[in-house]
Amino acid sequence: MYTLDKNQIISRKDNKNKFSIAHSQVKVFNQKETHECNEATYNCTTGYLEAIVAIERSLLSFDRRFKSYQEILQILGKTCKVSHIYAFENNLADNGGLIMSLQAEWYFQDISTKIDNHPWQNLSYTKFLPHWLSLLVRGEIFFEKVAEFSEIQRQILGLEGIHTLLFLPIIAKGNFVGFIRLDSCVATQNWDAKEIAFLQAVAGMLSLAHEHLLVDKALQTVISQTQDCAANLENLVQERTAELHREIAERKRIQTELEKSLSLQCATLESTADGILVVDSQGNIAGFNQKFLQMWRIPEQLIASGNYRTALRLAMKQLEAPRQYLTTIRELHLNPDLQIYDAIAFKDGRVFERYSQPQSIGGNIVGRVWSFRDVTAHKLAEAKICHQALHDLLTNLPNRVLFNERLSQALARAQKSGSKLAVCFLDLDRFKTINDTLSHAIGDKLLQSVAQRLRQCLRDGDTIARWGGDEFTLLLPDIKDTKEVTQIQERILAAFKPVFNIENYQLHISPSIGIALYPLHGQDAETLIKHADAAIYIVKSQGRNNYQFYHSAINSDSSELLILENSLHYALERQEFEIYYQPQVNSTTGEITKIEALLRWRHLQLGLIPPEKFIPLAEETGLILSIGEWVLQTACTQNKFWQDTLGLPRLSVAVNLSARQFQQPNLVNIVKQVLSTTQLNPQCLELEITESIAMKNVEFTQKVLSELYELGVSISIDDFGTGYCSLSYLKNFPIHCLKIDRSFVRDLSEDRYDAAITTAIIALAHGLKLAVVAEGVETEEQRNLLQVLDCELMQGYLFSRPLSTEDTTILLGQSKSCRVNTSFLFA
């Protein structure tokens, strides 16, 4: 006996009415029919829907009489293609038991009828096969194979000539009121999911019809008994009728949703990205989707013809290892319950993931489902990711990880063979200036060009890697002596001499190279890399653009630079920076017109670090940006304090800008923000840039200076005369002051050329309506000569050394009441 729903099948295990429940997946659509008989499936579904509509039309006049039942049974019989259909309703026996009452029957024209004296008329449920009652009461559809009955049961129940019985319970208002029995006399009939869904819908409609009759009967009784409540009963009838219509509408909605679901599930197989193949237990193809044919490039007509061997041969020709594939097939044939998950490769480079599992019904393996997924792109992406994990994305050179692997391998070979190798650390000189000035895009292209030239300088078997930023590492295995290493370094230096043409820019750049030899300078990778890196510091301190072999004395010099560089990262946070101030004085009146802010670094352990030692480090590391912004903020804040507390509203402060500061794109916004937060008048701030900075990118300089000029900030050219400023550009720069470099002032009284240059600068400034300041004035003779040359603004030890904030406050307080004594040197 089998109950027919979407989740379970109840099967008879023996003749003693023992039952067990076995889970089995109900196929929403038969896979073979889905792919080979799409049109037939559509017609079948349409037939069910037409039958439901016809039954619904018959139910409109349903009154439980023979004729109304017979119309419905006829539709069911023709739709389900069965031999007999009977309609039974339940009655109560005299003893209170439940008995069957035959209401109507329908039979196929070629099948003999058994309506007369039917053995089931008034048959007791509890007397024969009472387990039917428990299933019917629960509203479960089930079917019986008559062959599984005993001979006595078949005789008593009148089942001769019948192969299959299917029971369709009718439940009204939660009560079991009867059932429909469908007999198959031609052959044993199996019922698929669509037929069950159809029968469930019919059962629901019959249940609703019985409920409707019960409702009508109840209404008639109420009407006859309560004539005085007719109006209320009429409203109640209308409400109940509306409820019934809503239920019918809900049934229709469910039917529509079911149709959509069937269509969706049918389309799902075709819309999946995987190729699906289903074979039966004999190895014949039972179903597939179009994706499978596309992936395996098999003509559909070849599959449809049933020539599976030819299709298999066509598929095998495409594989890289067809014998291995066939071995897997044989193994599955011997072990049909196995699952496999692996990958197969094709001759054209494609790779498929393959998954296969057995298909079971009722615990018996009836076939196998294969799925294939094209993972070619995924495998290529994995290979690309693996390459990217070991290579630099910009230059495609090996990265630090791959370099270390190769170095470890080379060291192992060298230790085994007793050979030598060299590790080189290469750094590009002043690359950061180019990168920050001309944009990172230009810097990236320059790095790519550098990598290309470096490759051409090396031997086969050598390794060049990008260590990070503008740093490269070289591995030179199997070297004979230092001369061979030197020849390679000379080739590298020579390769950097030609100009690099990057997007209309002609760029000159040089390398600094440190070299460590195995086994002379280290036995392991870490030591060799550290010593090669240390050797670079010596190259940089000696003017760059060279190479240097490591030696033991290098450690002390490089260690000091390394300590300073590391400490510089935390100096601002630890408040180790100080600002000293040096006044600019009108030498005639003694009035202090301006003070220049000068940065000092007082290291907690090393004491005062000279600016010429830490400023280049700050420039190279990029820390100058944050340090410079702190100097600007602090100097403006202090100047505003002096203006307010000492009554010096016109006092100005001068702040130097480094090359990297001037090139940063948000410089103007930083200055604007500082002036806003400190409330300092823009006219009381002077920014100093050197001649070299101004001429590095004239168009950019003119743009930035114009924006600063619009803010009201003063601009001065520092160290004027030492650079290469073009007078044609100078007249177009919105500047306010020229500062004569101290190198011209120092020998002013002894060197007639310095005197001539100083005279020319003063005349040029006056001609351009610019102020002029002489730096480095230390003697009365220098001051007198400058006054004769009409230069009144001076700065130097003659007037004051750079002072701390406290001493500058005292000096400014004194200068308010009396002019600065020009013969007194402030310590």
Side-chain angles (χ1 to χ4, degrees):
M1 178 179 61
Y2 301 80
T3 61
L4 302 173
D5 57 32
K6 292 183 179 180
N7 301 309
Q8 297 179 331
I9 296 178
I10 300 176
S11 60
R12 173 173 296 186
K13 291 295 185 180
D14 52 41
N15 292 328
K16 297 181 181 180
N17 296 326
K18 296 181 180 179
F19 297 86
S20 64
I21 297 177
H23 290 279
S24 173
Q25 177 182 1
V26 175
K27 298 181 180 177
V28 178
F29 51 88
N30 182 278
Q31 291 170 322
K32 183 185 296 184
E33 292 177 351
T34 301
H35 301 290
E36 300 179 355
C37 305
N38 286 331
E39 183 177 356
T41 301
Y42 174 81
N43 292 336
C44 181
T45 303
T46 303
Y48 289 143
L49 295 177
E50 290 175 352
I52 287 173
V53 172
I55 291 171
E56 182 183 6
R57 189 180 300 113
S58 297
L59 286 175
L60 294 176
S61 59
F62 180 74
D63 58 359
R64 296 176 55 192
R65 296 181 181 178
F66 177 87
K67 184 177 181 180
S68 60
Y69 260 121
Q70 193 177 40
E71 290 179 359
I72 296 169
L73 297 182
Q74 182 179 3
I75 296 169
L76 279 176
K78 290 181 178 180
T79 303
C80 296
K81 297 179 176 59
V82 295
S83 305
H84 295 153
I85 301 183
Y86 300 94
F88 291 90
E89 288 187 359
N90 298 333
N91 288 328
L92 288 176
D94 295 335
N95 60 1
L98 201 61
I99 61 174
M100 309 173 190
S101 175
L102 181 60
Q103 298 296 309
E105 61 84 32
W106 175 89
Y107 60 94
F108 192 76
Q109 59 184 0
D110 294 331
I111 305 299
S112 60
T113 178
K114 291 194 176 184
I115 185 63
D116 299 323
N117 300 318
H118 198 280
W120 287 31
Q121 185 66 272
N122 299 323
L123 184 65
S124 172
Y125 284 94
T126 57
K127 187 173 181 180
F128 295 98
L129 301 177
H131 60 282
W132 288 351
L133 179 61
S134 62
L135 295 175
L136 291 168
V137 167
R138 292 200 300 267
E140 295 182 4
I141 301 174
F142 64 95
F143 73 89
E144 292 276 1
K145 293 180 179 179
V146 176
E148 296 177 0
F149 285 68
S150 67
E151 181 64 25
I152 295 176
Q153 288 176 316
R154 287 198 295 270
Q155 290 177 1
I156 293 175
L157 297 176
L159 300 178
E160 290 80 0
I162 300 175
H163 293 278
T164 308
L165 304 176
L166 185 137
F167 295 85
L168 186 66
I170 302 171
I171 307 297
K173 292 296 183 179
N175 297 315
F176 170 48
V177 299
F179 64 90
I180 304 295
R181 194 185 96 190
L182 290 82
D183 296 351
S184 177
C185 299
V186 178
T188 299
Q189 183 166 352
N190 291 319
W191 305 85
D192 63 20
K194 293 186 181 66
E195 291 173 308
I196 301 311
F198 167 69
L199 292 174
Q200 286 175 330
V202 172
M205 295 168 66
L206 286 171
S207 297
L208 286 177
H210 275 270
E211 289 179 3
H212 182 66
L213 292 176
L214 291 175
V215 170
D216 285 343
K217 183 178 180 180
L219 287 174
Q220 290 298 327
T221 301
V222 172
I223 291 172
S224 65
Q225 293 176 351
T226 55
Q227 292 296 329
D228 51 23
C229 299
N232 293 333
L233 285 175
E234 184 178 357
N235 292 334
L236 181 59
V237 170
Q238 291 177 352
E239 291 175 3
R240 296 297 293 165
T241 303
E243 181 182 347
L244 181 60
H245 285 305
R246 285 194 297 270
E247 291 180 1
I248 294 173
E250 179 64 14
R251 291 287 181 178
K252 290 181 178 180
R253 187 192 66 79
I254 292 174
Q255 292 165 11
T256 303
E257 291 298 323
L258 177 60
E259 183 180 3
K260 290 181 180 178
S261 177
L262 291 174
S263 175
L264 176 63
Q265 292 178 19
C266 182
T268 299
L269 190 64
E270 289 300 332
S271 63
T272 179
D274 296 344
I276 305 297
L277 174 67
V278 182
V279 296
D280 60 22
S281 57
Q282 305 303 316
N284 298 320
I285 296 176
F288 57 88
N289 64 357
Q290 292 298 315
K291 188 66 177 180
F292 169 78
L293 299 178
Q294 294 169 9
M295 293 174 66
W296 284 90
R297 298 170 182 174
I298 299 175
E300 185 172 1
Q301 58 270 24
L302 184 60
I303 297 289
S305 68
N307 194 347
Y308 304 141
R309 291 186 178 275
T310 303
L312 181 61
R313 284 196 296 271
L314 179 61
M316 292 299 100
K317 288 180 181 179
Q318 304 178 56
L319 295 178
E320 197 173 82
R323 290 185 178 180
Q324 183 179 352
Y325 188 92
L326 291 174
T327 300
T328 303
I329 300 295
R330 294 190 189 100
E331 183 180 356
L332 292 176
H333 181 72
L334 297 174
N335 302 279
D337 58 339
L338 286 181
Q339 293 185 358
I340 64 167
Y341 179 76
D342 58 6
I344 53 176
F346 286 70
K347 294 177 181 178
D348 59 4
R350 291 180 298 154
V351 179
F352 288 178
E353 277 185 352
R354 174 178 62 177
Y355 176 70
S356 177
Q357 68 173 11
Q359 181 188 13
S360 301
I361 296 179
N364 298 318
I365 296 177
V366 298
R368 179 167 290 274
V369 178
W370 297 81
S371 69
F372 303 93
R373 178 170 296 179
D374 191 337
V375 293
T376 308
H378 178 69
K379 293 296 182 183
L380 292 175
E382 280 185 348
K384 183 177 181 181
I385 291 171
C386 182
H387 178 83
Q388 291 176 345
L390 298 175
H391 290 79
D392 173 54
L393 295 180
L394 179 65
T395 62
N396 203 32
L397 293 176
N399 61 11
R400 186 180 301 198
V401 175
L402 183 55
F403 181 84
N404 285 332
E405 288 182 4
R406 291 186 179 179
L407 178 55
S408 297
Q409 295 167 0
L411 283 171
R413 291 194 300 268
Q415 291 169 358
K416 188 175 182 179
S417 63
S419 60
K420 301 176 183 178
L421 62 83
V423 174
C424 309
F425 217 105
L426 184 149
D427 181 77
L428 300 180
D429 301 330
R430 299 183 179 86
F431 171 77
K432 289 183 175 62
T433 302
I434 294 175
N435 200 42
D436 295 341
T437 302
L438 301 180
S439 81
H440 293 285
I442 299 297
D444 288 346
K445 291 185 178 180
L446 177 58
L447 288 173
Q448 291 171 337
S449 297
V450 165
Q452 186 175 358
R453 291 192 187 183
L454 287 173
R455 284 194 194 97
Q456 298 170 355
C457 297
L458 302 182
R459 309 165 302 170
D460 292 338
D462 294 342
T463 296
I464 173 175
R466 187 182 178 198
W467 195 253
D470 61 338
E471 297 175 331
F472 298 84
T473 49
L474 285 73
L475 171 60
L476 311 177
D478 301 320
I479 59 170
K480 299 175 183 177
D481 48 34
T482 57
K483 182 179 179 181
E484 188 174 8
V485 180
T486 300
Q487 291 173 348
I488 295 174
Q489 308 311 314
E490 292 293 347
R491 286 204 299 269
I492 292 174
L493 294 178
F496 277 80
K497 288 182 180 179
V499 67
F500 288 87
N501 291 301
I502 309 293
E503 291 191 5
N504 298 324
Y505 289 101
Q506 293 188 333
L507 304 177
H508 294 274
I509 195 167
S510 60
S512 294
I513 310 172
I515 309 164
L517 303 176
Y518 169 84
L520 181 61
H521 300 143
Q523 301 288 327
D524 57 82
E526 183 179 357
T527 303
L528 290 170
I529 291 173
K530 182 178 70 174
H531 287 169
D533 189 22
I536 285 185
Y537 283 96
I538 302 304
V539 179
K540 289 182 177 294
S541 65
Q542 294 176 352
R544 308 172 190 266
N545 192 25
N546 207 339
Y547 57 90
Q548 172 69 52
F549 286 90
Y550 173 80
H551 55 81
S552 57
I554 284 178
N555 280 338
S556 59
D557 296 334
S558 59
S559 296
E560 182 185 356
L561 286 173
L562 185 60
I563 290 171
L564 283 180
E565 182 176 333
N566 290 336
S567 299
L568 194 60
H569 284 274
Y570 304 101
L572 195 60
E573 178 184 335
R574 294 170 179 167
Q575 299 181 352
E576 294 179 351
F577 288 119
E578 302 174 1
I579 298 182
Y580 274 52
Y581 299 90
Q582 188 175 32
Q584 293 180 10
V585 181
N586 186 312
S587 61
T588 302
T589 65
E591 179 186 3
I592 296 176
T593 59
K594 191 178 304 175
I595 51 174
E596 182 177 2
L598 302 170
L599 181 63
R600 298 290 183 264
W601 181 16
R602 194 174 301 279
H603 194 282
L604 294 178
Q605 284 81 35
L606 302 178
L608 197 63
I609 310 297
E612 61 271 15
K613 206 165 190 177
F614 75 83
I615 292 296
L617 277 177
E619 280 276 326
E620 192 168 333
T621 59
L623 294 171
I624 193 66
L625 298 179
S626 57
I627 294 172
E629 187 172 345
W630 176 84
V631 171
L632 182 64
Q633 180 77 37
T634 304
C636 289
T637 301
Q638 186 61 52
N639 191 56
K640 178 63 175 173
F641 173 79
W642 284 328
Q643 287 179 345
D644 295 342
T645 57
L646 300 179
L648 299 171
R650 294 188 298 170
L651 181 66
S652 296
V653 63
V655 178
N656 291 280
L657 295 178
S658 70
R660 293 197 71 167
Q661 282 181 277
F662 188 74
Q663 296 294 336
Q664 62 182 325
N666 60 337
L667 173 64
V668 177
N669 288 333
I670 290 174
V671 174
K672 187 184 301 183
Q673 181 65 29
V674 169
L675 291 173
S676 175
T677 56
T678 60
Q679 296 297 304
L680 182 67
N681 189 325
Q683 296 179 352
C684 295
L685 172 63
E686 181 176 273
L687 298 177
E688 296 184 4
I689 62 171
T690 64
E691 207 175 339
S692 301
I693 293 174
M695 293 305 299
K696 187 163 291 184
N697 187 334
V698 173
E699 184 178 346
F700 177 80
T701 299
Q702 192 163 7
K703 175 180 178 296
V704 175
L705 293 183
S706 298
E707 292 178 1
L708 291 172
Y709 182 84
E710 291 176 3
L711 286 180
V713 175
S714 299
I715 307 295
S716 67
I717 304 296
D718 196 13
D719 300 336
F720 189 78
T722 61
Y724 49 90
C725 189
S726 170
L727 299 182
S728 63
Y729 286 115
L730 183 64
K731 69 178 181 178
N732 294 322
F733 288 159
I735 59 178
H736 302 81
C737 178
L738 298 179
K739 297 188 74 173
I740 303 173
D741 186 68
R742 64 183 66 249
S743 61
F744 301 126
V745 175
R746 181 174 59 245
D747 300 323
L748 185 63
S749 59
E750 301 172 359
D751 192 322
R752 61 190 180 92
Y753 295 108
D754 286 343
I757 292 173
T758 303
T759 301
I761 294 173
I762 294 172
L764 174 65
H766 289 166
L768 294 175
K769 309 294 184 186
L770 303 177
V772 61
V773 178
E775 292 185 297
V777 180
E778 299 181 356
T779 66
E780 287 286 349
E781 186 177 10
Q782 292 170 346
R783 184 192 70 165
N784 293 334
L785 285 172
L786 288 167
Q787 283 182 323
V788 169
L789 294 175
D790 204 15
C791 177
E792 293 183 343
L793 299 177
M794 304 178 194
Q795 180 179 344
Y797 285 2
L798 177 64
F799 308 102
S800 174
R801 291 176 179 274
L803 302 175
S804 66
T805 303
E806 294 77 10
D807 290 340
T808 304
T809 303
I810 296 172
L811 176 64
L812 290 173
Q814 293 173 349
S815 70
K816 185 178 180 183
S817 57
C818 60
R819 300 306 182 193
V820 177
N821 186 344
T822 57
S823 63
F824 182 75
L825 296 178
F826 291 97

